[in-house]
Amino acid sequence: MSPPKAATLFLLLFFLLLLSSTTTSNAHNITRLLAKYPQFSTFNHYLTTTHLAFQINRRQTITVLALDNTAMSSLLAKHYSLYTLKNIISLHVLVDYFGSKKLHRISKGSTLTSTMFQATGTAPGTSGYVNITNLKGGKVGFGAEDNEGKLDATFVKSIKEIPYNISIVQISHALNSAEAEAPTAAPSQLNLTEIMSKQGCKAFADLLTASGADDKFNENMDAGLTVFCPTDSAVKGFMPKYKNLTASKKVSLLLYHGIPVFMSLQMLKTNNGVMNTLATDGANSYDFSVSNEDEVVSLDTTVVTAKVLGILKEEEPLIVFKINKVLMPKELFKPVVAKEANAPEADAPADSEPADAEDNTNGVQGLGGGRLVMLVLSLWIGILLI
């Protein structure tokens, strides 16, 4: 092989390795990882209901101190509110990477590490820190910093490690912390339709009330809710199409404007991709894609693309965004094909069956930009080697 060709090959291999590392980083999903272990089903359930799972997935470096169903039963027997449970469980999420080897080789035998409870800002002083100590016989002890030096739990086993991204380890018991266990008040009662009516989305609020879809939105309020509310002018222009839908399809369309988790604007910007909605029922996906460009967040249903205009209300667990168009799901309207984008029938209501057009993201994952480049580079390297 000639020197120029060898140099080119070296550079291509270098970029291939670089792309490989960047496309695999920060790809963990805590609930999917734990779903393989039924003995942690209760812990996994509360990661979801408290919205900690989403926060864990956003972080690039994290360690989860998982509790099995028996340990969770003991914790739940104390009848804490969901909001207090969130603080307690967040104390079991360390914002640093601790694999099994690192835990058994703590420098100087003991260390303090911050948790997601500390990161909330509600933990006074260092009460949101956890003490990790190497004990005799190769054991590792864990205890909350505000627990008078007591180590309540010990390391049981490593469940899953993705260095240095996420580590999930089982500990024997829940960590005791007076601050984390302190009663936490529920958020003030929020009236969704009233909020929207006062902020230029009265038409959409009226549709929610008239259809009864507002009940479904309210049911999801405590667990977390993101609502995309079209402006009054957008709803007015959409009404001829809305009136042609059956009652059940009207409800589905309205539920399509809600996501059953709290998603701040920053979360939307950093978590682009497909989002399930309140209308998602398994048989029909009722999802849309979130993207952002130049600080503008867009929602693409394959039928229409709406832009986020602003925030009407943000008070966790509720956030309401104002958008410039009514979101039309592909299950009810025919997706727009690029070459037919200007055709008047492109957004006509579908018949009783969902639109025939294939959803390219349903069930089949396309090649990401990084993977596509890797494939091209691999082919080019093959050509050079011939």
Side-chain angles (χ1 to χ4, degrees):
M1 183 182 299
S2 64
K5 184 176 290 187
T8 303
L9 179 59
F10 173 79
L11 288 173
L12 286 173
L13 285 172
F14 173 77
F15 284 114
L16 185 61
L17 290 172
L18 181 62
L19 283 168
S20 177
S21 63
T22 57
T23 53
T24 56
S25 65
N26 197 26
H28 59 265
N29 184 307
I30 183 63
T31 53
R32 289 180 184 174
L33 292 173
L34 281 176
K36 301 175 183 178
Y37 307 92
Q39 65 269 37
F40 298 100
S41 60
T42 304
F43 183 78
N44 202 15
H45 168 73
Y46 280 97
L47 286 180
T48 300
T49 57
T50 59
H51 308 302
L52 287 172
F54 184 80
Q55 296 176 36
I56 290 170
N57 294 341
R58 290 174 56 212
R59 291 183 174 266
Q60 292 185 347
T61 304
I62 207 82
T63 299
V64 179
L65 306 180
L67 302 172
D68 66 12
N69 293 342
T70 300
M72 281 298 296
S73 294
S74 299
L75 181 61
L76 295 175
K78 299 178 181 179
H79 304 292
Y80 295 117
S81 70
L82 181 64
Y83 308 100
T84 299
L85 272 175
K86 180 176 182 177
N87 287 342
I88 295 172
I89 296 175
S90 66
L91 185 67
H92 294 69
V93 183
L94 314 180
V95 292
D96 196 358
Y97 182 85
F98 287 91
S100 179
K101 289 184 179 179
K102 184 177 179 179
L103 285 172
H104 288 85
R105 298 174 183 174
I106 297 294
S107 177
K108 298 181 181 180
S110 181
T111 188
L112 281 178
T113 186
S114 184
T115 67
M116 286 187 65
F117 179 48
Q118 184 72 25
T120 63
T122 60
T126 58
S127 59
Y129 280 75
V130 167
N131 178 6
I132 306 175
T133 300
N134 289 157
L135 305 174
K136 292 182 179 179
K139 293 185 178 181
V140 181
F142 299 84
E145 172 66 4
D146 69 336
N147 195 32
E148 300 178 349
K150 297 178 182 177
L151 301 177
D152 302 308
T154 56
F155 173 85
V156 177
K157 64 181 179 181
S158 175
I159 301 170
K160 181 69 175 180
E161 296 182 18
I162 307 177
Y164 293 89
N165 198 202
I166 183 170
S167 173
I168 308 173
V169 299
Q170 179 185 356
I171 60 174
S172 58
H173 301 89
L175 304 179
N176 293 311
S177 165
E179 294 296 340
E181 295 165 6
T184 303
S188 58
Q189 189 63 38
L190 298 169
N191 187 315
L192 177 60
T193 53
E194 181 179 338
I195 291 169
M196 291 191 293
S197 295
K198 293 180 178 179
Q199 299 289 336
C201 288
K202 185 178 186 305
F204 188 76
D206 290 344
L207 292 180
L208 291 182
T209 304
S211 65
D214 59 327
D215 290 339
K216 186 70 172 179
F217 280 84
N218 291 328
E219 287 173 8
N220 282 270
M221 188 87 73
D222 288 343
L225 181 65
T226 300
V227 181
F228 298 98
C229 183
T231 62
D232 286 345
S233 58
V235 173
K236 181 179 179 180
F238 179 74
M239 284 308 294
K241 296 183 179 68
Y242 183 79
K243 292 177 180 178
N244 286 334
L245 298 173
T246 64
S248 62
K249 288 183 178 181
K250 287 177 181 177
V251 171
S252 293
L253 179 132
L254 296 172
L255 294 179
Y256 188 60
H257 289 73
I259 298 176
V261 292
F262 177 87
M263 295 282 288
S264 68
L265 182 61
Q266 186 59 36
M267 290 177 181
L268 289 177
K269 289 179 179 179
T270 57
N271 291 273
N272 288 181
V274 177
M275 297 284 178
N276 287 335
T277 67
L278 292 177
T280 302
D281 62 5
N284 293 308
S285 60
Y286 278 102
D287 55 27
F288 54 75
S289 296
V290 178
S291 62
N292 65 279
E293 184 176 356
D294 297 330
E295 299 302 311
V296 177
V297 176
S298 299
L299 314 177
D300 182 11
T301 74
T302 73
V303 179
V304 66
T305 299
K307 296 187 186 320
V308 172
L309 302 177
I311 301 173
L312 301 185
K313 181 73 173 181
E314 182 174 5
E315 184 177 336
E316 197 166 356
L318 171 69
I319 185 166
V320 182
F321 294 99
K322 180 183 286 189
I323 56 177
N324 67 335
K325 295 180 182 180
V326 174
L327 299 177
M328 294 187 284
K330 60 185 176 297
E331 286 78 8
L332 302 180
F333 301 89
K334 294 179 181 179
V336 174
V337 180
K339 64 182 181 180
E340 298 176 355
N342 297 320
E345 69 275 13
D347 59 359
D351 295 329
S352 59
E353 294 296 325
D356 293 331
E358 291 286 344
D359 177 11
N360 292 332
T361 62
N362 189 12
V364 179
Q365 293 185 347
L367 285 174
R371 292 183 179 179
L372 181 59
V373 174
M374 288 170 62
L375 177 60
V376 173
L377 286 175
S378 298
L379 291 172
W380 182 245
I381 290 171
I383 293 172
L384 287 175
L385 290 174
I386 297 175

